[in-house]
Amino acid sequence: KDRKSGYHGGFSTGIDTRGATNYGGDFNFRQGKFNFFARGMYRNRKSNSTSSSDRRFFNNDTSIVQSGKSRSTGSFGFYNAGVDYLMDDRNTISREARYVKGDFEQNQPLYVDSLAAGAPYSYSRLASTSSFQFKDLRGELSYNHNFSEDGNHSLTFDAEYSKSDNSNN
């Protein structure tokens, strides 16, 4: 309800214990009947894990030992921007666009030692890699009409367009 001109914004950044960084910010600018806004966030992902399994079969002196280390990396971003047109005290038209994007990869080598009674020693190395990417683009057009001064009764119209793509290997 307060239609004063001006601007405000903020910025944040961080780092986790694995060295993955993140950034974010927002900005809003109001001039006359127009309100412009934008915000974004970007985050890196780093994850390491280990696994081990030791199986021994006592009835035939067989053992299988498995060990592996997994490394996951990736990034994720969210961005949006828009404008509000404040036609008068009761009518507002808004336009907003959003874009989300993510890329993730995982490498997981597994080492297997096998020793079976009466059979030769066996060693195997299995390598597993995977990746996942996605994108999402959205656009929205909105209209809002307040029937009363206090805004308790209103009529809203929203139209949205969305397009998403993803792939997984």
Side-chain angles (χ1 to χ4, degrees), residues 11 32 40 70 94 117 142 145 150 159:
F11 181 77
S70 176
S94 301
S142 300
H145 173 77
D150 60 10

Side-chain angles (χ1 to χ4, degrees), residues 61-118:
D61 293 327
T62 299
S63 68
I64 300 173
V65 178
Q66 296 177 324
S67 63
K69 292 185 177 183
S70 176
R71 178 168 173 80
S72 298
T73 58
S75 62
F76 174 84
F78 171 86
Y79 314 95
N80 79 316
V83 61
D84 299 320
Y85 174 60
L86 308 150
M87 300 165 63
D88 55 38
D89 288 343
R90 295 192 182 184
N91 296 286
T92 303
I93 295 176
S94 301
R95 175 72 176 105
E96 184 175 356
R98 288 174 290 223
Y99 180 68
V100 180
K101 183 179 188 310
D103 293 301
F104 303 96
E105 291 186 7
Q106 183 170 1
N107 295 310
Q108 187 174 9
L110 182 64
Y111 306 95
V112 181
D113 294 321
S114 299
L115 185 58

Side-chain angles (χ1 to χ4, degrees), residues 1-72:
K1 293 181 180 180
D2 185 4
R3 297 189 180 256
K4 292 181 182 177
S5 294
Y7 61 92
H8 72 272
F11 181 77
S12 64
T13 186
I15 188 167
D16 70 14
T17 57
R18 294 181 187 104
T21 56
N22 60 72
Y23 311 94
D26 62 84
F27 183 76
N28 191 80
F29 175 70
R30 172 76 179 267
Q31 183 68 44
K33 292 187 174 217
F34 290 95
N35 180 49
F36 301 94
F37 56 92
R39 72 184 142 208
M41 178 274 299
Y42 179 81
R43 179 169 175 80
N44 283 313
R45 179 177 181 259
K46 293 181 182 179
S47 177
N48 297 315
S49 63
T50 60
S51 65
S52 65
S53 171
D54 188 352
R55 292 183 278 175
R56 301 189 187 273
F57 303 92
F58 296 109
N59 59 347
N60 62 4
D61 293 327
T62 299
S63 68
I64 300 173
V65 178
Q66 296 177 324
S67 63
K69 292 185 177 183
S70 176
R71 178 168 173 80
S72 298

Side-chain angles (χ1 to χ4, degrees), residues 92-94 140-145 154-160:
T92 303
I93 295 176
S94 301
E140 186 174 313
L141 177 64
S142 300
Y143 169 75
N144 186 56
H145 173 77
S154 64
L155 173 68
T156 302
F157 170 80
D158 295 308
E160 184 174 300

Side-chain angles (χ1 to χ4, degrees), residues 131-164:
S131 64
F132 176 68
Q133 298 84 30
F134 67 89
K135 293 183 219 174
D136 184 53
L137 178 63
R138 293 177 186 257
E140 186 174 313
L141 177 64
S142 300
Y143 169 75
N144 186 56
H145 173 77
N146 290 320
F147 288 104
S148 59
E149 293 277 334
D150 60 10
N152 285 335
H153 296 88
S154 64
L155 173 68
T156 302
F157 170 80
D158 295 308
E160 184 174 300
Y161 170 82
S162 176
K163 181 178 183 339
S164 298

